[in-house]
């Protein structure tokens, strides 16, 4: 073997990673997994993109002052409202908020459009839910509660749409693809009911949307 060939072989052996460093540790394949910077990460790309939100949802509910009401008048119907809420499995504070905005606890209130009673039922709605005398507080509350329960099922517990539909009708909400109809009255109505509810319950009726991220952890280094 020539000197040039021997020199080439020696150089190759000297620069070989395996021979230069000697035997590798058994767990060397974990080196990248445990190096700094590869701990838990927050990934905004891990979740599928949601469908675009309807345009009316972003600013559909304006800022309003919490509706005022006569506390003494409200106290007269407190037990009755709680009773009807239990009967229909509704949040009593929701009924209180609706009554506050609709009639201000006036059992004989009548709107220019013909809505009547504590829950301000239109004649067709009253008949639809078995209310013969809208001026009767118990009948009015029960009729309104039945309507709210129907709307909850119809709109799959989306309370913003439920409240909007109570004001404008489920047909109007459906017409605008299950968004709050672009009526100023309806948008202000929804805002007032939500504000009234929050002031009573101490928490919002509609939860605030959380940032859309998912916590992703690396796989365990040693399976259990």
């Amino acid at each position: 073997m020539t000197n040039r060939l021997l020199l080439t072989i020696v150089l190759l052996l000297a620069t070989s990673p395996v021979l230069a460093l000697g035997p590798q540790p058994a767990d060397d394949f974990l080196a990248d997994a445990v190096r700094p910077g590869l701990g838990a990460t927050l990934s905004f790309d891990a979740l599928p993109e949601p469908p675009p939100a309807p345009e009316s949802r972003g600013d559909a509910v304006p800022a309003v002052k919490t509706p005022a009401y006569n506390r003494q008048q409200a106290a007269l119907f407190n037990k009755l409202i709680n009773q009807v809420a239990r009967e229909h499995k509704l949040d009593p504070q929701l009924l209180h908020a609706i009554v506050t905005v609709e009639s201000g606890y006036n059992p004989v209130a009548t709107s220019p459009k013909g809505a009547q009673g504590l829950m301000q039922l239109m004649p067709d709605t009253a008949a639809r839910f078995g209310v013969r005398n809208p001026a009767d507080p118990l009948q009015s509350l029960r009729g309104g509660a039945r309507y709210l329960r129907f709307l909850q099922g119809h709109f799959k517990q989306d309370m913003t749409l439920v409240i909007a539909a109570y004001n404008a009708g489920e047909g109007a909400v459906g017409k605008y693809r299950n968004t709050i109809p672009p009526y100023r009255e309806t948008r202000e109505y929804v805002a007032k009911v939500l504000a009234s509810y929050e002031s009573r319950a101490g928490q919002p009726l509609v939860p605030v949307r959380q940032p859309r991220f998912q916590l992703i952890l690396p796989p365990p280094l040693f399976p259990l």
Side-chain angles (χ1 to χ4, degrees):
M1 209 178 273
T2 67
N3 291 337
R4 184 184 297 275
L5 180 59
L6 288 174
L7 180 60
T8 301
I9 294 173
V10 170
L11 289 175
L12 288 174
L13 292 176
T15 56
S16 171
V18 175
L19 295 179
L21 299 179
Q24 300 297 301
D27 60 351
D28 187 61
F29 68 93
L30 295 176
D32 283 343
V34 297
R35 76 172 187 264
L38 288 183
T41 59
L42 294 176
S43 172
F44 291 85
D45 299 323
L47 297 179
E49 282 294 324
E55 292 182 1
S56 64
R57 280 302 188 88
D59 58 351
V61 180
V64 297
K65 292 182 178 179
T66 302
Y69 61 95
N70 186 315
R71 295 182 181 275
Q72 292 181 340
Q73 186 76 0
L76 297 176
F77 299 103
N78 189 56
K79 290 184 178 179
L80 196 60
I81 288 175
N82 290 341
Q83 172 192 328
V84 172
R86 286 194 302 270
E87 289 175 357
H88 295 83
K89 298 181 180 179
L90 289 171
D91 185 340
Q93 300 306 333
L94 174 61
L95 280 184
H96 273 290
I98 294 286
V99 171
T100 296
V101 178
E102 288 285 358
S103 65
Y105 293 93
N106 180 0
V108 294
T110 302
S111 77
K113 296 181 180 179
Q116 299 178 329
L118 287 176
M119 299 291 285
Q120 287 291 279
L121 301 174
M122 295 293 288
D124 289 346
T125 305
R128 179 182 173 189
F129 291 96
V131 177
R132 296 182 178 180
N133 180 13
D136 178 87
L138 181 58
Q139 287 192 45
S140 181
L141 287 169
R142 282 176 171 166
R146 292 188 192 107
Y147 191 26
L148 285 171
R149 287 290 295 175
F150 165 79
L151 293 173
Q152 285 182 342
H154 187 74
F155 293 110
K156 300 179 181 179
Q157 302 298 322
D158 187 325
M159 296 308 299
T160 304
L161 297 184
V162 167
I163 296 169
Y166 192 92
N167 174 261
E170 65 268 26
V173 175
K175 176 182 176 181
Y176 290 95
R177 299 183 179 182
N178 285 355
T179 63
I180 300 175
Y183 313 144
R184 180 177 179 181
E185 175 190 336
T186 299
R187 293 183 175 186
E188 290 183 352
Y189 176 84
V190 172
K192 289 176 181 178
V193 171
L194 293 177
S196 179
Y197 180 94
E198 185 168 354
S199 71
R200 293 172 178 278
Q203 61 184 13
L205 177 63
V206 179
V208 177
R209 291 185 178 182
Q210 299 297 321
R212 196 179 56 83
F213 64 82
Q214 182 179 9
L215 182 66
I216 300 178
L217 299 175
L221 300 182
F222 302 100
L224 298 178

